[in-house]
Amino acid sequence: MTSLVESLRAAGCVFAEEEAELLTGAARDDGHLAELLARRVGGEPLEHVVGWAEFCGLRLEVGAGAFVPRRRTEFLVREAVALARPGAVVLDLCCGVGALGAAVASQLPGGAELHAADIDPAALAYARRNVAPYGGRVWEGDLYAALPESLKGRVELLVVNAPYVPTEEIGLMPSEAREHEPLVSLDGGADGLDVHRRVAAGAVPWLAPGGHLLIETSARQSPSTASALASAGLAVRAVTSEELYATVVIGTA
């Protein structure tokens, strides 16, 4: 274990002891452990190496080519659950591995009617497994084009963690993200909000009366995200968590 910790620390892993325990727990044998260590030292995200990420107390499957759920996004889940009724119709749009939808459904008394959609087939392979315990259905396609017509006017909670990093700032992100997560899950266009505007513009026909759209953004970008939701005819407010450095804009039909 000591040499494992030393190798991780030498590679720049700040929490080397904790990572060593996770790698050891994920390894089938010594040879497999050496393989996992080499991948981690080579710069792969720890979650890709061990095959799972912790999010809102859940162990979610992730892997090569998938966006890793961030802890700050737990704030969106908290806000969504506070707005939801038991058994609500929940749509996780731009779902990635299905983290938002699975977390919300896991916390609602009586569960939820859960739907998740994304354009990335690699991410959806993980999402199918992550939402399955909650009876979730997964749809592949570009935003609302992926969805069945039967969902129109029924979505009570539309939860979204769409890409919002400006294209020119992608190069400033940690190498783990830049080199190992799909660009489609990071790049939000020139100002970072291309997908936010598309989500907002198409939301109203899918929302139930009184339904809520919750979308993660940054504190700097939140006025523009809020403007996009307001332009779509939603009543808008922004909420922040200083603890998690998280900002969520909420639009209500």
Side-chain angles (χ1 to χ4, degrees), residues 11 14 24 38 52-53 63 66 75 82 94 99 104 109 131 142 166 185 202 216-217 221-222 239:
V14 177
T24 301
W52 59 273
F75 179 60
C94 304
V104 170
V131 304
D142 184 19
S185 70
E216 181 176 295
T217 189
Q221 294 162 302
S222 62
V239 291

Side-chain angles (χ1 to χ4, degrees), residues 122-206:
L124 291 178
Y126 296 104
R128 288 186 180 91
R129 295 193 288 273
N130 288 328
V131 304
Y134 313 102
R137 300 188 66 183
V138 171
W139 311 95
E140 181 179 342
D142 184 19
L143 298 183
Y144 303 103
L147 304 176
E149 289 288 313
S150 59
L151 264 184
K152 276 194 171 176
R154 297 184 56 238
V155 177
E156 296 166 75
L157 277 183
L158 172 51
V159 292
V160 184
N161 184 16
Y164 57 91
V165 180
T167 302
E168 290 187 353
E169 295 180 19
I170 296 292
L172 304 177
M173 298 187 71
S175 60
E176 288 185 14
R178 284 187 286 107
E179 297 175 9
H180 297 283
E181 294 181 319
L183 187 61
V184 70
S185 70
L186 304 173
D187 191 345
D191 68 350
L193 301 179
D194 284 358
V195 184
H196 285 199
R197 283 185 283 267
R198 293 184 60 212
V199 167
V204 169
W206 299 91

